[in-house]
Amino acid sequence: MRRGDLTNAEWVRLEPHLPVSGRRGGRWNDHRKVINGILFRVRTGIPWRDLPERFGRWKTVYERHRRWSADGTWDRILSAVQADADLAGRIDWSMVSVDSSPAVPISARLGPARRSHASQKRSTPRHHRSDEGLGRSRGGLTSKIHLAGEGGCRPLAFLVTPGQWGDAPQMIEVLERVRVPRPQGGRSRTRPDHLGGDKAYSSRRNHRYLRRRQIKHTIPEPKDQRANRNRRGSKGGRPTGFDSEIYKRRNEVERTINRLKNSRAVATRYDKRAYVFHGTVTIAAIRLWLSP
């Protein structure tokens, strides 16, 4: 075992959730060696062709990652390790915060995928986007990761969008993706005890959504919204509650993003296709959940 490889303890937690080998199409190569190769690339951000020989053929490692990103295997594994963590009491539901962070693409080849006969035969990937999660802002082509993180600085759910998309409109979709199964039976847990966010998430639509789901929240009100509410008098509604002590915990989601971006392939987007980049972020999140 070398630096960055799965430890024995991590492998014990991960192995039960991996797809069974030996199905139609031939036997897969050793899962542990291939996953270590994927983790090496995610951590270092090197081109797939430059993977060390100890991981086997680079094409095998890349295709495993691409296929598992397309068919949702990485998503199912992330959901399973989150369920194990929740069963062990390792998820801090007392405070879930939302935030976003840009991922700047590095390759000049990024853009809409070219249509080919091979791509037409494949089924549509699970997280396919026609815009490939790329948008133009002041810095050029950018992507953005919208994320909900729990109190233990690990991601519960995330969403990849073009870089110019705002934070507030994406909050509901990110929270709708929070779904932690309960292995012992019962409905999946989807609602945190408390939600935190910065003033970018303050909107009537978001406040109505949180009230409907009965989620307590601490989101500061921007000055322009406060002035508009005061100008309307009694028709402007009541001011939103704000607890400065609870708001201090919003740093937890920022630390979560920082831990994710320790993986260079997450901090800088090297993947052309949006669903492959989504898989890259997912396996980085899986590694955080496997860590003690």
Side-chain angles (χ1 to χ4, degrees):
M1 185 180 70
R2 301 191 183 183
R3 179 174 177 265
D5 289 352
L6 289 169
T7 65
N8 291 333
E10 291 173 338
W11 178 248
V12 168
R13 288 192 289 270
L14 177 64
E15 187 178 19
H17 308 304
L18 298 177
V20 179
S21 184
R23 294 181 178 179
R24 182 179 178 182
R27 182 178 179 83
W28 279 332
N29 288 342
D30 178 45
H31 275 320
R32 187 168 186 175
K33 181 173 71 173
V34 173
I35 292 176
N36 279 333
I38 296 172
L39 288 171
F40 183 88
R41 186 265 176 181
V42 170
R43 180 171 60 87
T44 61
I46 65 172
W48 289 102
R49 293 175 182 269
D50 294 340
L51 277 176
E53 295 182 357
R54 64 188 177 93
F55 299 120
R57 294 177 64 246
W58 72 268
K59 187 72 172 177
T60 300
V61 181
Y62 166 73
E63 280 298 322
R64 186 78 55 86
H65 177 55
R66 186 195 65 77
R67 290 181 181 180
W68 286 8
S69 299
D71 64 13
T73 298
W74 286 132
D75 295 324
R76 289 189 289 271
I77 294 174
L78 175 60
S79 180
V81 297
Q82 286 176 342
D84 291 344
D86 192 32
L87 188 62
R90 294 175 55 227
I91 298 183
D92 184 359
W93 292 99
S94 64
M95 182 65 167
V96 171
S97 300
V98 288
D99 204 353
S100 68
S101 182
V104 181
I106 198 65
S107 173
R109 296 180 63 244
L110 287 175
R114 293 176 295 179
R115 297 181 65 87
S116 64
H117 296 292
S119 62
Q120 291 175 0
K121 295 179 181 178
R122 295 173 180 167
S123 59
T124 303
R126 182 172 184 178
H127 295 286
H128 169 73
R129 296 184 62 100
S130 58
D131 56 15
E132 296 299 348
L134 292 169
R136 290 197 176 273
S137 59
R138 293 181 180 179
L141 284 175
T142 54
S143 296
K144 184 181 284 188
I145 302 172
H146 304 265
L147 180 140
E150 50 96 38
C153 299
R154 285 166 297 202
L156 286 171
F158 67 91
L159 173 69
V160 177
T161 69
Q164 79 275 14
W165 284 26
D167 292 350
Q170 315 311 318
M171 189 199 78
I172 294 178
E173 184 170 354
V174 172
L175 291 181
E176 289 291 330
R177 295 189 177 201
V178 176
R179 188 170 300 275
V180 178
R182 292 173 174 169
Q184 294 182 340
R187 295 180 180 179
S188 300
R189 174 144 191 187
T190 60
R191 189 175 62 180
D193 297 334
H194 203 99
L195 181 79
D198 59 25
K199 62 179 65 177
Y201 292 94
S202 178
S203 71
R204 290 186 177 181
R205 176 172 175 261
N206 289 343
H207 287 303
R208 283 197 301 265
Y209 172 82
L210 294 171
R211 284 196 298 267
R212 179 174 60 82
R213 294 195 59 191
Q214 299 180 358
I215 299 176
K216 298 178 181 179
H217 53 281
T218 300
I219 300 175
E221 187 180 25
K223 290 183 179 179
D224 59 336
Q225 293 183 10
R226 189 183 311 122
N228 183 55
R229 176 175 51 77
N230 293 333
R231 180 179 57 81
R232 297 183 64 188
S234 60
K235 295 182 179 180
R238 294 177 299 178
T240 58
F242 180 76
D243 189 324
S244 58
E245 288 299 318
I246 296 179
Y247 188 69
K248 291 179 180 179
R249 293 192 60 185
R250 203 187 66 81
N251 73 87
E252 293 165 353
V253 70
E254 297 174 345
R255 288 154 55 197
T256 302
I257 293 174
N258 184 47
R259 294 182 69 191
L260 269 180
K261 286 196 166 185
N262 283 336
S263 300
R264 295 188 65 185
V266 175
T268 303
R269 177 175 169 177
Y270 298 100
D271 301 309
K272 177 174 182 175
R273 304 301 303 276
Y275 75 91
V276 178
F277 180 62
H278 189 281
T280 298
V281 181
T282 304
I283 192 171
I286 290 172
R287 189 63 190 271
L288 293 182
W289 283 102
L290 292 176
S291 301

